[in-house]
Amino acid sequence: MSFRYVTKLPTPEEIRKEFPMPEFAIAVKKKRDAQIKEVLTGKSSKFLVIIGPCSADNEEAVCDYVNRLAKVNEKVKDKLILIPRIYTNKPRTTGEGYKGIVSQPDPEKKPDFTTGLIAMRKMHIRAIEESGLTAADEMLYPDNWGYVEDILSYVAIGARSVEDQHHRMTVSGFDVPAGMKNPTSGTLSVMLNSIYAAQHPHSFIYRGMEVATDGNLLAHAVLRGSVNKHGRSLPNYHYEDLNTLYTLYQDYDLANPACVIDANHNNSDKQFEQQIRIVKEVMHSRKLNRDIHSMVKGVMIESYIEEGSQKIGEGIYGKSITDPCLGWEASERLIYDIAEYE
């Protein structure tokens, strides 16, 4: 056989029992979930800022970053809701490279999934306990949802996953918002079909069980740019792009039409410093058009303590080992600038 069964992993139930959410953290999540839901349903005028490292590779640095974010959140909480990115799985275009803390709790060592699942959960819980902020993560592997279902307040579905049936159906069982990114091709109808699927009930096989879901009415669009057939990045955050998405939304029977703009990836051509300009253009577009203002509910920003990126093994504290990120000082200024627009 091509498969080699290495070891049996602990189930989500076993991991949750061994590392439970503290009562304080459960209450924090309940309150945060309600606040974020009100933004996406239009009951709140606050703006979401989903911000943090490209990949959460180091617990100390990530929690340091989130604690800094919590202090800023106190100053802008009347206008913004800051959601730290604690992304513990990293999609790879070619399948090569660091795949996140779940795969490699130590980026310089071989994969260790049992240790990685524990490290993921411990880091998320510590971040909540220390900062009072619940986080976003990317659902790269649908079967892993159970390990974090009681922790996360926001889930992203990546450009390479959004067309996958299993991802769409799993999202339909979430009780938290799920941002469905446009595919790398940029085809908006694929993204909208994915949102439609996620918002409706399904029956399917999940982790060896027959399951039924009710649909997730908080599934929504995330524009992250695209790649053309020549490998060139094409942005889709401009005023005209937002107008187009608003028009397309009217053609679909979707609840809570909403959009979050990913300021990095193909929108910035991975030029991390361009995120500042992109976010400000999006905020300006919201000011110009009432429909865009009502639809665009937030932005995603890749940010860490030190700007740029490093190779695995360089050992620079708080610097990305995957995609380059904004540094802390620039990120803090940008958050205050966003609040000024609101």
Side-chain angles (χ1 to χ4, degrees):
M1 293 177 66
S2 297
F3 281 91
R4 288 187 297 111
Y5 292 88
V6 179
T7 186
K8 182 176 175 58
L9 296 173
T11 66
E13 292 77 12
E14 290 168 339
I15 292 285
R16 292 201 305 267
K17 184 177 180 180
E18 186 174 357
F19 301 96
M21 276 274 277
E23 290 297 323
F24 158 76
I26 293 171
V28 168
K29 174 174 156 54
K30 183 177 180 180
K31 181 178 179 181
R32 293 259 298 171
D33 287 356
Q35 292 172 339
I36 295 167
K37 179 178 180 179
E38 286 185 347
V39 173
L40 290 167
T41 57
K43 294 180 181 179
S44 169
S45 61
K46 290 183 180 180
F47 192 72
L48 306 178
V49 179
I50 303 162
I51 183 169
C54 174
S55 55
D57 61 290
N58 178 286
E59 181 180 313
E60 291 301 322
V62 168
C63 289
D64 180 352
Y65 177 92
V66 176
N67 284 324
R68 297 182 189 202
L69 203 62
K71 294 176 182 177
V72 177
N73 187 67
E74 282 301 306
K75 299 176 182 179
V76 299
K77 63 183 180 181
D78 290 342
K79 296 181 177 180
L80 309 179
I81 298 178
L82 304 187
I83 305 174
R85 284 174 53 111
I86 302 182
Y87 279 29
T88 55
N89 292 284
K90 173 65 181 173
R92 310 304 310 201
T93 302
T94 63
E96 296 181 341
Y98 175 68
K99 296 181 178 67
I101 200 169
V102 171
S103 300
Q104 292 170 270
D106 185 335
E108 297 186 60
K109 295 182 180 179
K110 292 181 179 180
D112 182 344
F113 289 92
T114 298
T115 303
L117 289 168
I118 293 170
M120 168 182 68
R121 189 163 175 87
K122 288 177 67 178
M123 178 167 56
H124 271 293
I125 292 174
R126 176 182 169 184
I128 299 171
E129 288 185 300
E130 293 184 359
S131 70
L133 301 180
T134 48
D137 202 343
E138 179 171 352
M139 190 181 71
L140 186 57
Y141 307 108
D143 281 355
N144 286 357
W145 169 243
Y147 295 104
V148 289
E149 66 181 5
D150 58 333
I151 291 176
L152 300 180
S153 284
Y154 187 96
V155 179
I157 306 301
R160 297 162 189 82
S161 303
V162 75
E163 295 188 64
D164 178 64
Q165 188 79 348
H166 196 37
H167 280 82
R168 294 175 172 190
M169 292 190 298
T170 304
V171 170
S172 74
F174 288 5
D175 60 356
V176 295
M180 318 291 281
K181 293 192 174 186
N182 63 261
T184 53
S185 66
T187 308
L188 298 185
S189 61
V190 169
M191 175 185 67
L192 291 164
N193 286 335
S194 188
I195 296 168
Y196 184 93
Q199 288 195 356
H200 287 78
H202 296 283
S203 296
F204 56 103
I205 297 171
Y206 185 76
R207 294 190 65 92
M209 294 286 292
E210 179 183 337
V211 299
T213 61
D214 296 327
N216 180 1
L217 299 182
L218 300 179
H220 59 276
V222 177
L223 297 183
R224 48 86 72 199
S226 62
V227 185
N228 69 13
K229 64 181 181 180
H230 304 296
R232 298 285 298 274
S233 290
L234 300 175
N236 60 7
Y237 61 86
H238 295 305
Y239 182 91
E240 293 78 12
D241 298 305
L242 302 179
N243 254 338
T244 297
L245 178 59
Y246 180 84
T247 301
L248 287 172
Y249 248 130
Q250 311 314 305
D251 297 333
Y252 284 75
D253 182 21
L254 294 171
N256 306 314
C259 175
V260 171
I261 308 300
D262 181 345
N264 212 10
H265 297 100
N266 289 119
N267 268 332
S268 68
D269 198 20
K270 294 191 178 181
Q271 303 300 308
F272 69 91
E273 68 281 357
Q274 293 298 315
Q275 294 181 100
I276 298 170
R277 176 188 59 78
I278 292 166
V279 167
K280 290 182 177 181
E281 180 179 326
V282 170
M283 301 307 293
H284 183 62
S285 294
R286 291 180 82 240
K287 274 196 165 185
L288 295 177
N289 186 304
R290 183 179 300 174
D291 293 335
I292 290 175
H293 189 279
S294 68
M295 179 184 70
V296 177
K297 305 291 189 180
V299 290
M300 289 182 174
I301 302 164
E302 291 196 328
S303 154
Y304 213 173
I305 296 170
E306 300 295 334
E307 74 171 21
S309 62
Q310 63 178 322
K311 294 180 180 178
I312 292 175
E314 288 188 47
I316 302 171
Y317 179 80
K319 193 169 187 176
S320 176
I321 60 171
T322 47
D323 291 348
C325 298
L326 283 179
W328 173 251
E329 291 183 3
S331 302
E332 185 177 12
R333 285 197 303 272
L334 180 56
I335 292 170
Y336 294 138
D337 287 344
I338 294 170
E340 285 298 314
Y341 276 95
E342 290 302 296

